[in-house]
Coordinates of all heavy atoms in Angstrom, one line a residue:
M1 N 83.2 146.1 62.8 CA 84.5 145.5 62.7 C 85.6 146.5 63.0 O 86.7 146.2 63.5 CB 84.7 144.9 61.3 CG 85.7 143.8 61.2 SD 85.5 143.0 59.6 CE 86.7 141.7 59.9
G2 N 85.3 147.8 62.6 CA 86.3 148.9 62.9 C 87.6 148.8 62.1 O 87.6 148.2 61.1
W3 N 88.6 149.4 62.7 CA 89.9 149.4 62.0 C 90.7 148.2 62.3 O 90.8 147.8 63.4 CB 90.7 150.7 62.4 CG 90.1 151.9 62.0 CD1 89.2 152.7 62.7 CD2 90.2 152.6 60.7 NE1 88.9 153.8 62.0 CE2 89.5 153.8 60.7 CE3 90.9 152.2 59.6 CZ2 89.4 154.6 59.6 CZ3 90.9 153.1 58.5 CH2 90.1 154.3 58.5
I4 N 91.2 147.6 61.2 CA 92.0 146.3 61.4 C 93.4 146.6 61.0 O 93.7 147.1 59.9 CB 91.4 145.2 60.5 CG1 89.9 145.1 60.6 CG2 92.1 143.9 60.7 CD1 89.5 144.5 61.9
R5 N 94.4 146.3 61.8 CA 95.8 146.4 61.5 C 96.1 145.3 60.5 O 96.0 144.1 60.8 CB 96.6 146.4 62.7 CG 98.1 146.6 62.4 CD 98.9 146.9 63.7 NE 98.9 145.7 64.6 CZ 99.8 144.8 64.6 NH1 100.7 144.8 63.7 NH2 99.7 143.8 65.4
I6 N 96.6 145.7 59.3 CA 96.9 144.7 58.3 C 98.4 144.7 57.9 O 98.9 143.7 57.3 CB 96.1 144.8 57.1 CG1 96.3 146.2 56.4 CG2 94.6 144.6 57.4 CD1 95.6 146.2 55.0
A7 N 99.2 145.7 58.3 CA 100.6 145.7 57.8 C 101.3 146.7 58.7 O 100.8 147.5 59.4 CB 100.6 146.1 56.3
Q8 N 102.7 146.6 58.5 CA 103.5 147.6 59.1 C 104.1 148.5 58.0 O 104.6 148.0 57.0 CB 104.6 146.9 59.9 CG 104.1 146.2 61.1 CD 105.2 145.6 61.9 OE1 105.9 144.7 61.4 NE2 105.5 146.1 63.1
R9 N 104.1 149.8 58.3 CA 104.7 150.7 57.3 C 106.1 150.4 57.0 O 106.6 150.4 55.8 CB 104.5 152.1 57.8 CG 105.0 153.2 56.8 CD 104.6 154.5 57.2 NE 104.9 154.9 58.6 CZ 104.8 156.1 59.1 NH1 104.2 157.0 58.4 NH2 105.1 156.4 60.3
S10 N 106.9 150.0 58.0 CA 108.3 149.9 57.8 C 108.7 148.7 57.0 O 109.8 148.6 56.5 CB 109.0 149.7 59.2 OG 108.4 148.7 59.9
T11 N 107.7 147.7 56.8 CA 108.0 146.5 56.0 C 107.2 146.5 54.7 O 107.2 145.5 54.0 CB 107.7 145.2 56.8 OG1 106.4 145.3 57.2 CG2 108.7 145.1 58.0
T12 N 106.6 147.7 54.3 CA 105.8 147.8 53.1 C 106.3 149.0 52.3 O 105.8 150.0 52.4 CB 104.3 147.9 53.4 OG1 104.0 146.9 54.4 CG2 103.5 147.7 52.2
P13 N 107.4 148.8 51.6 CA 108.0 150.0 50.9 C 107.2 150.5 49.8 O 106.3 149.9 49.2 CB 109.4 149.4 50.4 CG 109.2 148.0 50.4 CD 108.2 147.6 51.4
P14 N 107.5 151.8 49.4 CA 106.8 152.4 48.2 C 106.9 151.5 47.0 O 108.0 150.9 46.8 CB 107.5 153.7 48.1 CG 108.1 154.1 49.4 CD 108.4 152.7 50.0
G15 N 105.9 151.5 46.2 CA 105.9 150.7 45.0 C 105.4 149.3 45.1 O 105.4 148.6 44.2
T16 N 105.1 148.9 46.4 CA 104.8 147.5 46.6 C 103.3 147.3 46.8 O 102.6 148.3 47.2 CB 105.5 146.9 47.8 OG1 105.2 147.6 48.9 CG2 107.0 146.9 47.6
I17 N 102.8 146.1 46.5 CA 101.4 145.7 46.8 C 101.5 144.5 47.7 O 102.2 143.5 47.3 CB 100.6 145.4 45.5 CG1 100.8 146.5 44.5 CG2 99.2 145.2 45.8 CD1 100.2 146.1 43.1
T18 N 100.7 144.5 48.8 CA 100.7 143.3 49.6 C 99.2 142.9 49.7 O 98.3 143.7 49.6 CB 101.2 143.5 51.0 OG1 100.6 144.7 51.6 CG2 102.8 143.7 50.9
V19 N 99.0 141.6 49.9 CA 97.6 141.1 49.9 C 97.2 140.6 51.3 O 98.1 140.0 52.0 CB 97.3 140.0 48.8 CG1 98.1 138.8 49.1 CG2 95.8 139.7 48.7
H20 N 96.0 140.9 51.7 CA 95.6 140.6 53.1 C 94.2 140.1 53.1 O 93.3 140.6 52.4 CB 95.7 141.9 54.0 CG 97.0 142.5 53.9 ND1 98.1 142.2 54.7 CD2 97.5 143.4 53.0 CE1 99.1 143.0 54.4 NE2 98.8 143.7 53.3
E21 N 93.9 139.1 54.0 CA 92.5 138.6 54.2 C 91.9 139.4 55.3 O 92.4 139.4 56.4 CB 92.6 137.1 54.6 CG 93.0 136.2 53.5 CD 91.9 135.8 52.5 OE1 90.7 136.0 52.9 OE2 92.2 135.3 51.4
V22 N 90.8 140.1 55.0 CA 90.2 140.9 56.0 C 88.7 140.7 55.9 O 88.1 141.0 54.9 CB 90.5 142.4 55.9 CG1 89.8 143.2 57.0 CG2 92.0 142.7 55.8
G23 N 88.1 140.2 57.0 CA 86.7 140.0 57.0 C 86.1 139.2 55.8 O 85.1 139.5 55.2
G24 N 86.9 138.2 55.4 CA 86.5 137.3 54.2 C 86.8 137.9 52.9 O 86.4 137.3 51.9
R25 N 87.4 139.1 52.8 CA 87.7 139.7 51.6 C 89.2 139.6 51.4 O 90.0 139.6 52.3 CB 87.4 141.2 51.6 CG 85.9 141.4 51.8 CD 85.7 142.9 52.0 NE 84.3 143.2 52.3 CZ 83.4 143.3 51.4 NH1 83.7 143.3 50.1 NH2 82.1 143.6 51.7
R26 N 89.6 139.7 50.1 CA 91.1 139.8 49.8 C 91.3 141.3 49.4 O 90.8 141.8 48.4 CB 91.4 138.9 48.6 CG 92.3 137.7 49.0 CD 92.8 136.8 47.9 NE 93.0 137.4 46.6 CZ 92.4 137.0 45.5 NH1 91.5 136.0 45.6 NH2 92.6 137.5 44.3
I27 N 92.1 141.9 50.2 CA 92.4 143.3 50.1 C 93.9 143.5 49.6 O 94.8 142.9 50.1 CB 92.3 144.1 51.4 CG1 90.9 143.8 52.1 CG2 92.6 145.5 51.3 CD1 89.8 144.6 51.5
A28 N 94.0 144.3 48.5 CA 95.4 144.7 48.1 C 95.7 146.0 48.7 O 95.0 147.0 48.5 CB 95.4 144.7 46.6
L29 N 96.8 146.0 49.4 CA 97.3 147.3 50.0 C 98.5 147.8 49.2 O 99.5 147.1 48.9 CB 97.8 147.0 51.4 CG 98.3 148.2 52.2 CD1 97.2 149.2 52.6 CD2 99.1 147.8 53.4
C30 N 98.3 149.0 48.7 CA 99.3 149.6 47.7 C 100.0 150.8 48.4 O 99.3 151.7 48.9 CB 98.5 150.1 46.5 SG 97.5 148.9 45.7
N31 N 101.3 150.8 48.3 CA 102.1 151.9 48.8 C 102.5 152.8 47.6 O 103.4 152.4 46.8 CB 103.3 151.4 49.6 CG 104.1 152.6 50.2 OD1 104.0 153.7 49.7 ND2 104.8 152.3 51.3
V32 N 101.9 154.0 47.5 CA 102.2 154.9 46.4 C 103.0 156.1 47.0 O 102.4 156.9 47.7 CB 101.0 155.4 45.7 CG1 101.3 156.4 44.6 CG2 100.1 154.3 45.1
N33 N 104.3 156.0 46.9 CA 105.2 157.1 47.4 C 104.9 157.4 48.9 O 104.9 158.5 49.2 CB 105.0 158.3 46.5 CG 105.4 158.1 45.1 OD1 106.4 157.4 44.8 ND2 104.7 158.7 44.2
G34 N 104.7 156.3 49.6 CA 104.5 156.5 51.1 C 103.1 156.7 51.5 O 102.8 156.7 52.7
R35 N 102.2 156.8 50.5 CA 100.7 156.9 50.9 C 100.1 155.5 50.6 O 100.4 154.9 49.6 CB 100.0 157.9 50.0 CG 100.5 159.4 50.4 CD 99.7 160.4 49.5 NE 98.3 160.4 49.9 CZ 97.7 161.2 50.8 NH1 98.5 162.1 51.4 NH2 96.5 161.1 51.2
F36 N 99.3 155.1 51.5 CA 98.7 153.8 51.4 C 97.2 153.8 50.9 O 96.5 154.7 51.3 CB 98.7 153.0 52.7 CG 100.1 152.6 53.1 CD1 100.9 153.4 53.9 CD2 100.6 151.4 52.7 CE1 102.2 153.0 54.2 CE2 101.8 150.9 53.1 CZ 102.7 151.8 53.8
Y37 N 96.9 152.9 50.0 CA 95.6 152.8 49.4 C 95.2 151.3 49.5 O 96.0 150.4 49.2 CB 95.5 153.3 48.0 CG 95.9 154.7 47.9 CD1 97.2 155.1 47.5 CD2 95.0 155.7 48.2 CE1 97.5 156.4 47.4 CE2 95.3 157.1 48.2 CZ 96.6 157.4 47.8 OH 97.0 158.7 47.7
A38 N 93.9 151.0 49.8 CA 93.4 149.6 49.9 C 92.3 149.5 48.9 O 91.4 150.3 48.8 CB 93.0 149.3 51.3
I39 N 92.4 148.4 48.1 CA 91.4 148.1 47.1 C 91.1 146.6 47.2 O 91.9 145.8 47.7 CB 91.8 148.5 45.7 CG1 93.1 147.7 45.3 CG2 92.0 149.9 45.5 CD1 93.5 147.8 43.8
D40 N 89.9 146.2 46.6 CA 89.6 144.8 46.4 C 90.7 144.2 45.5 O 91.1 144.8 44.5 CB 88.3 144.6 45.8 CG 87.1 144.4 46.8 OD1 87.4 144.0 47.9 OD2 86.0 144.7 46.4
D41 N 91.2 143.0 45.9 CA 92.3 142.4 45.1 C 91.7 141.6 44.0 O 92.3 140.6 43.6 CB 93.1 141.5 46.1 CG 94.3 140.9 45.4 OD1 94.9 141.7 44.6 OD2 94.6 139.8 45.6
V42 N 90.6 142.0 43.5 CA 89.9 141.2 42.4 C 89.5 142.1 41.3 O 88.7 143.1 41.4 CB 88.6 140.5 43.0 CG1 87.9 139.7 41.9 CG2 88.9 139.7 44.2
C43 N 90.1 141.9 40.1 CA 89.9 142.7 38.9 C 88.4 142.6 38.5 O 87.8 141.5 38.5 CB 90.8 142.3 37.8 SG 90.5 143.2 36.3
T44 N 87.8 143.7 38.2 CA 86.4 143.7 37.8 C 86.1 143.2 36.4 O 85.0 143.1 36.0 CB 85.8 145.1 38.0 OG1 86.5 146.0 37.1 CG2 85.8 145.6 39.4
H45 N 87.2 143.0 35.7 CA 87.0 142.4 34.3 C 86.7 141.0 34.4 O 85.7 140.5 34.0 CB 88.3 142.7 33.4 CG 88.2 142.0 32.1 ND1 89.1 141.1 31.7 CD2 87.2 142.1 31.1 CE1 88.7 140.7 30.5 NE2 87.6 141.2 30.1
D46 N 87.7 140.2 35.0 CA 87.5 138.7 35.0 C 88.2 138.1 36.2 O 88.7 137.0 36.2 CB 88.0 138.1 33.7 CG 87.5 136.7 33.6 OD1 86.4 136.4 34.1 OD2 88.1 135.9 32.9
G47 N 88.3 138.9 37.3 CA 88.7 138.3 38.6 C 90.2 138.2 38.8 O 90.7 137.5 39.7
G48 N 91.0 138.8 38.0 CA 92.5 138.7 38.1 C 93.0 139.3 39.4 O 92.3 140.1 40.0
P49 N 94.1 138.7 39.9 CA 94.6 139.1 41.2 C 95.5 140.4 41.1 O 96.6 140.3 40.6 CB 95.5 137.9 41.6 CG 96.0 137.3 40.3 CD 94.9 137.6 39.3
L50 N 94.9 141.5 41.5 CA 95.6 142.8 41.3 C 96.9 142.9 42.1 O 97.8 143.6 41.7 CB 94.7 143.9 41.6 CG 93.4 144.0 40.7 CD1 92.5 145.1 41.2 CD2 93.8 144.2 39.2
D51 N 97.0 142.1 43.2 CA 98.3 142.2 43.9 C 99.5 141.7 43.2 O 100.6 142.0 43.5 CB 98.2 141.5 45.3 CG 98.1 140.0 45.1 OD1 97.0 139.5 44.6 OD2 99.1 139.3 45.4
Q52 N 99.2 140.9 42.1 CA 100.3 140.4 41.3 C 100.6 141.2 40.1 O 101.4 140.9 39.2 CB 99.9 138.9 40.9 CG 100.0 138.0 42.1 CD 99.5 136.6 41.7 OE1 99.6 136.1 40.6 NE2 98.8 136.0 42.7
G53 N 99.9 142.4 40.0 CA 100.1 143.3 38.9 C 101.2 144.3 39.3 O 101.8 144.2 40.3
V54 N 101.4 145.2 38.3 CA 102.5 146.2 38.5 C 101.9 147.5 38.9 O 100.8 147.9 38.4 CB 103.2 146.4 37.1 CG1 104.2 147.5 37.2 CG2 103.9 145.1 36.7
L55 N 102.5 148.1 39.9 CA 102.1 149.4 40.5 C 103.0 150.5 39.9 O 104.2 150.4 40.2 CB 102.1 149.3 42.0 CG 101.6 150.6 42.7 CD1 100.1 150.8 42.4 CD2 101.8 150.4 44.2
E56 N 102.4 151.4 39.1 CA 103.2 152.5 38.6 C 102.5 153.8 39.0 O 101.4 154.0 38.5 CB 103.3 152.4 37.1 CG 104.5 151.5 36.6 CD 104.7 151.5 35.1 OE1 104.0 152.4 34.5 OE2 105.5 150.8 34.7
G57 N 103.1 154.6 39.8 CA 102.4 155.7 40.3 C 101.2 155.2 41.1 O 101.3 154.3 41.9
N58 N 100.0 155.8 40.8 CA 98.8 155.4 41.5 C 98.0 154.4 40.6 O 96.8 154.2 40.9 CB 98.0 156.6 42.0 CG 97.5 157.4 40.9 OD1 98.1 157.4 39.8 ND2 96.5 158.2 41.1
L59 N 98.6 153.9 39.6 CA 97.9 152.9 38.7 C 98.4 151.5 38.9 O 99.6 151.3 38.9 CB 98.0 153.3 37.2 CG 97.5 154.6 36.8 CD1 97.6 154.8 35.3 CD2 96.0 154.8 37.2
V60 N 97.5 150.6 39.1 CA 97.9 149.2 39.1 C 97.4 148.5 37.8 O 96.2 148.7 37.4 CB 97.3 148.5 40.4 CG1 95.8 148.5 40.4 CG2 97.8 147.0 40.5
E61 N 98.2 147.7 37.2 CA 97.9 147.0 36.0 C 97.6 145.5 36.3 O 98.4 144.8 36.9 CB 99.0 147.1 35.0 CG 98.7 146.3 33.7 CD 99.8 146.5 32.7 OE1 100.8 147.3 32.9 OE2 99.7 145.8 31.6
C62 N 96.4 145.1 35.9 CA 96.0 143.7 36.1 C 96.9 142.8 35.3 O 97.2 143.0 34.1 CB 94.5 143.5 35.7 SG 94.0 141.8 35.9
P63 N 97.4 141.7 36.0 CA 98.4 140.8 35.3 C 97.7 139.9 34.2 O 98.4 139.4 33.4 CB 98.9 139.9 36.4 CG 97.8 139.9 37.4 CD 97.2 141.3 37.3
R64 N 96.4 139.9 34.2 CA 95.7 139.0 33.2 C 95.5 139.6 31.8 O 95.9 139.0 30.8 CB 94.4 138.5 33.8 CG 94.7 137.5 35.0 CD 93.5 136.7 35.4 NE 92.8 136.0 34.4 CZ 91.6 135.5 34.4 NH1 90.9 135.7 35.5 NH2 91.1 134.8 33.4
H65 N 94.9 140.7 31.7 CA 94.6 141.3 30.4 C 95.0 142.8 30.3 O 94.6 143.4 29.4 CB 93.1 141.1 30.0 CG 92.6 139.8 30.2 ND1 91.7 139.5 31.3 CD2 92.8 138.6 29.6 CE1 91.4 138.2 31.2 NE2 92.1 137.6 30.2
G66 N 95.7 143.3 31.3 CA 96.2 144.6 31.2 C 95.3 145.8 31.6 O 95.7 147.0 31.4
A67 N 94.2 145.6 32.2 CA 93.4 146.7 32.6 C 94.1 147.5 33.7 O 95.0 146.9 34.4 CB 92.0 146.2 33.2
K68 N 93.9 148.8 33.8 CA 94.5 149.5 34.8 C 93.5 150.2 35.7 O 92.5 150.7 35.2 CB 95.5 150.6 34.2 CG 96.7 150.0 33.6 CD 97.7 151.0 33.1 CE 98.9 150.4 32.4 NZ 99.9 151.4 32.0
F69 N 93.8 150.3 37.0 CA 92.9 151.0 38.0 C 93.7 152.0 38.7 O 94.8 151.8 39.1 CB 92.3 149.9 39.0 CG 91.5 148.9 38.4 CD1 92.1 147.7 37.9 CD2 90.1 149.0 38.2 CE1 91.3 146.7 37.3 CE2 89.3 148.0 37.6 CZ 89.9 146.9 37.2
D70 N 93.0 153.1 39.0 CA 93.5 154.1 39.9 C 93.3 153.6 41.3 O 92.1 153.5 41.7 CB 92.8 155.5 39.7 CG 93.3 156.6 40.5 OD1 93.7 156.3 41.7 OD2 93.4 157.7 40.0
V71 N 94.3 153.4 42.1 CA 94.2 152.8 43.4 C 93.6 153.8 44.4 O 93.1 153.3 45.5 CB 95.5 152.2 43.9 CG1 96.0 151.1 43.0 CG2 96.5 153.2 44.2
E72 N 93.6 155.0 44.1 CA 93.1 156.0 45.0 C 91.5 156.1 44.9 O 90.8 156.1 45.9 CB 93.7 157.4 44.7 CG 93.2 158.5 45.7 CD 94.0 159.8 45.6 OE1 94.9 159.9 44.7 OE2 93.6 160.7 46.3
S73 N 91.1 156.1 43.6 CA 89.6 156.3 43.4 C 88.9 154.9 43.1 O 87.7 154.8 43.2 CB 89.4 157.2 42.3 OG 89.8 156.7 41.0
G74 N 89.7 154.0 42.7 CA 89.2 152.7 42.3 C 88.8 152.7 40.8 O 88.4 151.6 40.3
R75 N 88.8 153.8 40.2 CA 88.3 153.9 38.8 C 89.1 153.1 37.8 O 90.3 153.0 37.9 CB 88.4 155.4 38.4 CG 87.5 155.8 37.2 CD 87.4 157.3 37.2 NE 88.7 158.0 37.1 CZ 89.3 158.4 36.0 NH1 88.7 158.2 34.9 NH2 90.5 159.0 36.0
A76 N 88.4 152.4 36.9 CA 89.0 151.7 35.8 C 89.4 152.7 34.7 O 88.6 153.4 34.2 CB 88.1 150.6 35.2
V77 N 90.7 152.8 34.4 CA 91.2 153.8 33.5 C 91.7 153.2 32.2 O 91.9 154.0 31.2 CB 92.3 154.7 34.1 CG1 91.7 155.5 35.2 CG2 93.5 153.9 34.5
V78 N 91.9 151.9 32.1 CA 92.3 151.3 30.9 C 91.5 150.0 30.7 O 91.3 149.2 31.6 CB 93.8 150.9 30.9 CG1 94.2 150.1 29.7 CG2 94.7 152.2 31.0
L79 N 90.9 149.8 29.5 CA 90.2 148.6 29.2 C 91.1 147.4 29.3 O 92.3 147.5 29.2 CB 89.6 148.7 27.7 CG 88.6 149.8 27.5 CD1 88.3 150.0 26.0 CD2 87.3 149.5 28.3
P80 N 90.5 146.2 29.4 CA 89.1 145.8 29.2 C 88.2 146.0 30.5 O 87.0 145.8 30.4 CB 89.2 144.4 28.9 CG 90.4 143.8 29.6 CD 91.4 145.0 29.5
A81 N 88.8 146.5 31.6 CA 87.9 146.7 32.7 C 87.1 148.0 32.5 O 87.7 149.0 32.0 CB 88.6 146.7 34.0
V82 N 85.8 148.0 32.9 CA 85.1 149.3 32.9 C 84.5 149.7 34.2 O 84.2 150.8 34.5 CB 83.9 149.2 31.8 CG1 84.5 149.1 30.4 CG2 83.0 148.0 32.1
R83 N 84.3 148.7 35.1 CA 83.8 149.0 36.4 C 84.9 149.2 37.4 O 85.9 148.6 37.3 CB 82.9 147.8 36.9 CG 81.5 147.7 36.2 CD 80.7 146.5 36.6 NE 81.3 145.3 36.2 CZ 81.7 144.3 37.0 NH1 81.5 144.4 38.3 NH2 82.3 143.2 36.5
P84 N 84.7 150.1 38.4 CA 85.7 150.4 39.4 C 85.9 149.3 40.3 O 85.0 148.4 40.5 CB 85.2 151.6 40.1 CG 83.7 151.6 39.9 CD 83.4 150.9 38.6
V85 N 87.1 149.2 41.0 CA 87.2 148.3 42.1 C 86.9 149.0 43.4 O 87.0 150.3 43.4 CB 88.7 147.8 42.3 CG1 89.0 146.7 41.2 CG2 89.7 148.9 42.3
R86 N 86.4 148.3 44.3 CA 86.0 148.9 45.6 C 87.3 149.4 46.3 O 88.3 148.7 46.3 CB 85.3 147.9 46.5 CG 84.8 148.5 47.8 CD 83.8 147.6 48.5 NE 83.6 148.2 49.8 CZ 82.9 147.6 50.7 NH1 82.3 146.4 50.5 NH2 82.7 148.1 51.9
T87 N 87.2 150.6 46.9 CA 88.3 151.1 47.8 C 87.9 151.0 49.2 O 86.7 151.0 49.5 CB 88.7 152.5 47.4 OG1 87.6 153.4 47.6 CG2 89.1 152.6 45.9
Y88 N 88.9 151.0 50.1 CA 88.6 151.0 51.5 C 89.5 152.1 52.2 O 90.6 152.4 51.8 CB 89.0 149.7 52.1 CG 88.3 148.5 51.5 CD1 88.8 147.9 50.4 CD2 87.1 148.1 52.0 CE1 88.1 146.8 49.8 CE2 86.3 147.1 51.5 CZ 86.9 146.4 50.3 OH 86.1 145.4 49.8
P89 N 88.9 152.7 53.3 CA 89.7 153.7 54.0 C 90.9 153.1 54.7 O 90.8 152.0 55.2 CB 88.7 154.2 55.1 CG 87.4 153.8 54.7 CD 87.6 152.5 53.8
V90 N 92.0 153.9 54.7 CA 93.3 153.4 55.3 C 93.7 154.5 56.3 O 93.6 155.7 56.0 CB 94.4 153.2 54.2 CG1 95.7 152.8 54.9 CG2 94.0 152.1 53.2
E91 N 94.2 154.0 57.4 CA 94.7 154.9 58.4 C 96.1 154.4 58.8 O 96.3 153.2 59.0 CB 93.7 154.9 59.6 CG 94.1 155.8 60.7 CD 93.0 155.7 61.9 OE1 92.0 156.4 61.8 OE2 93.2 154.8 62.8
V92 N 97.1 155.3 58.9 CA 98.4 155.0 59.4 C 98.6 155.6 60.8 O 98.4 156.8 61.0 CB 99.5 155.5 58.4 CG1 100.9 155.1 59.0 CG2 99.3 154.9 57.1
E93 N 99.0 154.7 61.7 CA 99.2 155.2 63.1 C 100.5 154.6 63.6 O 100.6 153.4 63.8 CB 98.0 154.7 64.0 CG 97.9 155.4 65.3 CD 96.7 154.8 66.1 OE1 95.6 155.0 65.6 OE2 97.0 154.2 67.2
G94 N 101.5 155.5 63.7 CA 102.8 155.0 64.0 C 103.3 154.1 62.9 O 103.3 154.5 61.7
D95 N 103.6 152.9 63.2 CA 104.1 151.9 62.2 C 102.9 151.1 61.7 O 103.1 150.3 60.7 CB 105.2 151.1 62.7 CG 106.0 150.4 61.6 OD1 106.2 151.0 60.6 OD2 106.4 149.2 61.8
D96 N 101.8 151.2 62.3 CA 100.6 150.4 61.9 C 99.8 150.9 60.7 O 99.5 152.1 60.7 CB 99.7 150.2 63.1 CG 100.3 149.5 64.2 OD1 101.3 148.7 64.0 OD2 99.8 149.6 65.4
V97 N 99.5 150.1 59.8 CA 98.7 150.4 58.7 C 97.4 149.7 58.9 O 97.3 148.5 59.0 CB 99.3 150.0 57.3 CG1 98.4 150.5 56.2 CG2 100.7 150.7 57.2
K98 N 96.3 150.5 59.0 CA 95.0 149.9 59.3 C 94.0 150.1 58.2 O 94.0 151.2 57.5 CB 94.4 150.5 60.6 CG 95.3 150.3 61.8 CD 94.7 151.1 63.0 CE 95.6 151.1 64.2 NZ 95.1 151.9 65.3
V99 N 93.0 149.2 58.1 CA 92.0 149.4 57.0 C 90.6 149.1 57.7 O 90.5 148.4 58.7 CB 92.3 148.4 55.9 CG1 92.1 147.0 56.3 CG2 91.4 148.7 54.7
S100 N 89.7 149.8 57.1 CA 88.3 149.6 57.6 C 87.5 149.0 56.4 O 87.4 149.6 55.3 CB 87.7 150.9 58.0 OG 86.3 150.8 58.3
V101 N 86.8 147.9 56.6 CA 86.1 147.2 55.5 C 84.6 147.3 55.7 O 83.9 146.6 55.0 CB 86.6 145.7 55.4 CG1 88.0 145.6 55.0 CG2 86.3 144.9 56.6
E102 N 84.1 148.1 56.6 CA 82.7 148.2 56.8 C 82.0 148.9 55.7 O 82.6 149.7 55.0 CB 82.4 148.9 58.2 CG 82.8 148.0 59.3 CD 82.7 148.7 60.7 OE1 82.6 150.0 60.7 OE2 82.8 148.1 61.7
Ligands
FES201 S1 91.0 139.9 34.6 FE1 91.9 141.9 34.9 S2 92.0 142.7 32.9 FE2 91.0 140.8 32.6

């Protein structure tokens, strides 16, 4: 499947999360101070939509029960989630933000 362009850097400001359908998955793209990270948009606790959570620094808080994940490593750092979310490689080329879901 290779690299898929999913967003434009110029329209995805720092501190925002956008959600994208890629290869049948829902991917949350997080802009942390100009660096982009892509994670599964599904909380590992009970399926909450992480794109609707709050992004503070590199932590996203699930809107359902407050678990927090490090968007860079995927690690669950605050209960009730204990399992990490999957992360995906991101590449920025010019204004294009691309993700690889293989
Ligand atoms: S579904 Fe995310 S913390 Fe419960």
Side-chain angles (χ1 to χ4, degrees):
M1 202 168 186
W3 293 95
I4 310 290
R5 184 165 64 87
I6 60 170
Q8 291 183 294
R9 182 166 54 174
S10 56
T11 57
T12 313
T16 60
I17 310 173
T18 53
V19 64
H20 308 269
E21 292 276 343
V22 185
R25 301 170 183 277
R26 252 183 30 238
I27 307 281
L29 181 71
C30 307
N31 183 336
V32 178
N33 299 322
R35 293 183 67 92
F36 287 90
Y37 300 98
I39 59 173
D40 267 335
D41 187 38
V42 181
C43 178
T44 58
H45 173 239
D46 196 25
L50 296 176
D51 70 289
Q52 291 172 33
V54 175
L55 183 63
E56 275 187 6
N58 62 338
L59 297 183
V60 62
E61 180 175 354
C62 178
R64 289 192 57 195
H65 312 107
K68 291 186 183 182
F69 297 90
D70 182 323
V71 300
E72 185 173 358
S73 65
R75 200 162 57 92
V77 295
V78 173
L79 295 171
V82 291
R83 285 178 293 123
V85 285
R86 183 169 172 187
T87 62
Y88 300 91
V90 176
E91 183 179 271
V92 178
E93 194 178 297
D95 196 35
D96 293 339
V97 183
K98 303 175 184 176
V99 68
S100 172
V101 296
E102 287 172 350

